[in-house]
C-alpha cells in the first residue's frame, strides 16, 4: 500500500501498520461509506480516500476529543483552515518553553467549552506535535488537567511545522460520541471499530502485555466501560447491516467469545487474526531494543455469502 498522508500529525495508536494486511478487505467491495466510531487519526479513511481508484464518498465518525473534531471540520471545510494556520505560525515565533503553558491551558479549556473554537484546534495540533509520543493524556487525579511532557526530538523542529490537509470526502459527519452516530441504510458500508482497548480487566500498573497505561481520554483502561465500548459498537454495526466490519482490540478470549455470539445473532461470520506489535521503547528517538509488548487482534465480520470469505479463509 502506498504511503498515506496523515490527517492528524503524530497521533499514537494508529492502524497504519495494519493497512497492508487489510488491503484485501479494503478492496473487497467498492465501499461508498466508511464509518469509524472511534475516529482518532482516521487512518483507514485516509487509506481509502487516497487509494488509486477511490470509491468512498461519505465518511461518518465519532470522536470525544473536541480539538480533533475541530480539525476534522477544517479538513472538510477549507474556509476554517486560515485561522488555524495563522495561530500555528504565530506560536512558532515563540520558544516552546514560553508557549507550552498557553497551549496546555487552551487544550484543557476545550474540554469544558461548548464551543469548538479554532484556537482550541490549533492548540491540540501543536501539543501533539511537541508531546512525547504525541499522546495527550489526562492526569489520573484530575481529568481536567493534562499529564504530558515534551519530546526533545520534536522540539528541534518547532518553528518549521506546517499543517497539511489530505484529500477530503464529498460528505462528512462527525458525532461527539460513538453511540450518537446515525447509521446509513445503504450499501456498501465499511465499519472500522478501534476503541480504547479492553485488554484484561484490572488496575494498570505498568506498560506490558497485560496492561496499557496511562489512562485514555476520560476512560479508565481495561474497565468494564471500555469492554462495553468494544461490544456495543460492533453490535450496532451488525444491527445496521454493515457490509464489512473490522474490530480492533487486545487478544481477549472473552471478547472473542462475545464477538462470535454477536456474529451468529446477526447472521454474520467472523474471522480473528492476531498480530504481534513490536514497540520501540523510548518512542524510537534513540537506539533502543525493540520488544513485542502486546498482541494486537482484529476481527473481520462479513455475510456468509460474501466473496471476501475466500480471502479470509
Amino acid at each position: 500500500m502506498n504511503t498515506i498522508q496523515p490527517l492528524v500529525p503524530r497521533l499514537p495508536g494508529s492502524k497504519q501498520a495494519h493497512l497492508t494486511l487489510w488491503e484485501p478487505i479494503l478492496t473487497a467491495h467498492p465501499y461508498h461509506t466508511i464509518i469509524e466510531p472511534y475516529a482518532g487519526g482516521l487512518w483507514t479513511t485516509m487509506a481509502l480516500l487516497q487509494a488509486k481508484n477511490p470509491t468512498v464518498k461519505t465518511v461518518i465518525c465519532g470522536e470525544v476529543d473536541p480539538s480533533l473534531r475541530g480539525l476534522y471540520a477544517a479538513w472538510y471545510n477549507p474556509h476554517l483552515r486560515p485561522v488555524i494556520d495563522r495561530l500555528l505560525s504565530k506560536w512558532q515565533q515563540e520558544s516552546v518553553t514560553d508557549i507550552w503553558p498557553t497551549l496546555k491551558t487552551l487544550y484543557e479549556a476545550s474540554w469544558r467549552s461548548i464551543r469548538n473554537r479554532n484556537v482550541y484546534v490549533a492548540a491540540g495540533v501543536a501539543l501533539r506535535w511537541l508531546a512525547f509520543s504525541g499522546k495527550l493524556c489526562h492526569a489520573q487525579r484530575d481529568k481536567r488537567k493534562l499529564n504530558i511532557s515534551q519530546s526533545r526530538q520534536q522540539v528541534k523542529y518547532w518553528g518549521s511545522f506546517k499543517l497539511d490537509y489530505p484529500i477530503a470526502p464529498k460528505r462528512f459527519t462527525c458525532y461527539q460520541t460513538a453511540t450518537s452516530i446515525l447509521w446509513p441504510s445503504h450499501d456498501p458500508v465499511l465499519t472500522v471499530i478501534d476503541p480504547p482497548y479492553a485488554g484484561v480487566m484490572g488496575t494498570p500498573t505498568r506498560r506490558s502485555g497485560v496492561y496499557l497505561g496511562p489512562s485514555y481520554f476520560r476512560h479508565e483502561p481495561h474497565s468494564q466501560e471500555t469492554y462495553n465500548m468494544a461490544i456495543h459498537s460492533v453490535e450496532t454495526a451488525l444491527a445496521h447491516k454493515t457490509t464489512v466490519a473490522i474490530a480492533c482490540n487486545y487478544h481477549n478470549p472473552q471478547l472473542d467469545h462475545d464477538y462470535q455470539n454477536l456474529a451468529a445473532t446477526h447472521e454474520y461470520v467472523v474471522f480473528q487474526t492476531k498480530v504481534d506489535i513490536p514497540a520501540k521503547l523510548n518512542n524510537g528517538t534513540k537506539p533502543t531494543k525493540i520488544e513485542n509488548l502486546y498482541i494486537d487482534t482484529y476481527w473481520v465480520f462479513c455475510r456468509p455469502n460474501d466473496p471476501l470469505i475466500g480471502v479470509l479463509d
Side-chain angles (χ1 to χ4, degrees):
M1 182 164 288
N2 295 331
T3 302
I4 300 170
Q5 181 184 354
L7 171 59
V8 186
R10 301 192 70 245
L11 184 71
S14 79
K15 286 294 169 281
Q16 184 180 16
H18 292 340
L19 292 176
T20 300
L21 291 173
W22 291 357
E23 191 163 4
I25 306 170
L26 303 182
T27 56
H29 297 277
Y31 302 108
H32 297 163
T33 300
I34 180 169
I35 302 175
E36 296 201 49
Y38 304 95
L42 287 170
W43 273 102
T44 310
T45 296
M46 296 299 106
L48 292 180
L49 289 174
Q50 297 174 38
K52 185 176 181 180
N53 297 303
T55 59
V56 169
K57 302 291 189 292
T58 303
V59 175
I60 301 172
C61 68
E63 176 54 55
V64 67
D65 188 330
S67 72
L68 287 180
R69 292 199 304 272
L71 179 58
Y72 304 155
W75 167 56
Y76 181 63
N77 183 357
H79 297 292
L80 300 176
R81 300 175 187 177
V83 175
I84 298 172
D85 294 340
R86 283 197 297 270
L87 285 168
L88 289 173
S89 178
K90 174 185 174 183
W91 290 337
Q92 290 186 85
Q93 295 175 17
E94 302 183 44
S95 70
V96 173
T97 302
D98 291 339
I99 200 63
W100 185 258
T102 300
L103 297 179
K104 288 185 64 176
T105 300
L106 287 170
Y107 181 78
E108 290 164 355
S110 70
W111 289 85
R112 302 188 296 269
S113 175
I114 60 174
R115 294 178 57 201
N116 202 349
R117 299 168 54 195
N118 286 329
V119 68
Y120 296 153
V121 179
V125 170
L127 280 176
R128 284 189 180 86
W129 177 254
L130 291 170
F132 182 80
S133 82
K135 190 172 185 65
L136 305 188
C137 182
H138 289 277
Q140 290 281 2
R141 293 186 178 181
D142 187 351
K143 301 297 183 186
R144 297 170 299 178
K145 300 295 183 180
L146 282 173
N147 178 23
I148 59 175
S149 59
Q150 300 169 13
S151 165
R152 294 180 181 177
Q153 187 75 10
Q154 291 301 116
V155 169
K156 296 177 183 178
Y157 303 109
W158 186 246
S160 60
F161 169 63
K162 184 179 182 299
L163 183 61
D164 294 317
Y165 300 88
I167 186 171
K170 289 186 176 180
R171 294 175 292 274
F172 174 73
T173 306
C174 181
Y175 296 87
Q176 187 168 349
T177 63
T179 55
S180 58
I181 290 176
L182 297 178
W183 291 69
S185 57
H186 50 80
D187 282 336
V189 177
L190 172 66
T191 304
V192 180
I193 299 165
D194 185 20
Y197 278 15
V200 178
M201 306 302 173
T203 302
T205 57
R206 59 190 175 88
R207 179 180 284 268
S208 71
V210 177
Y211 299 121
L212 182 67
S215 64
Y216 293 91
F217 289 117
R218 300 185 178 182
H219 300 293
E220 293 300 324
H222 319 316
S223 67
Q224 187 63 49
E225 180 183 11
T226 55
Y227 195 87
N228 292 343
M229 292 164 72
I231 294 296
H232 178 270
S233 49
V234 169
E235 185 174 24
T236 303
L238 302 187
H240 285 85
K241 300 180 173 21
T242 187
T243 309
V244 174
I246 305 174
C248 311
N249 222 296
Y250 273 145
H251 170 59
N252 185 312
Q254 182 60 48
L255 191 59
D256 181 58
H257 175 76
D258 289 343
Y259 279 168
Q260 296 287 348
N261 287 340
L262 284 176
T265 299
H266 294 279
E267 300 180 339
Y268 280 79
V269 292
V270 57
F271 297 82
Q272 180 199 88
T273 299
K274 302 174 187 176
V275 183
D276 286 334
I277 301 299
K280 292 183 179 180
L281 305 183
N282 249 349
N283 197 32
T285 56
K286 59 182 179 181
T288 58
K289 65 178 181 178
I290 297 177
E291 295 182 356
N292 287 335
L293 293 188
Y294 60 90
I295 299 176
D296 211 358
T297 309
Y298 62 90
W299 291 260
V300 181
F301 299 79
C302 62
R303 293 293 190 181
N305 59 349
D306 194 317
L308 179 59
I309 289 180
V311 176
L312 297 174
D313 274 335

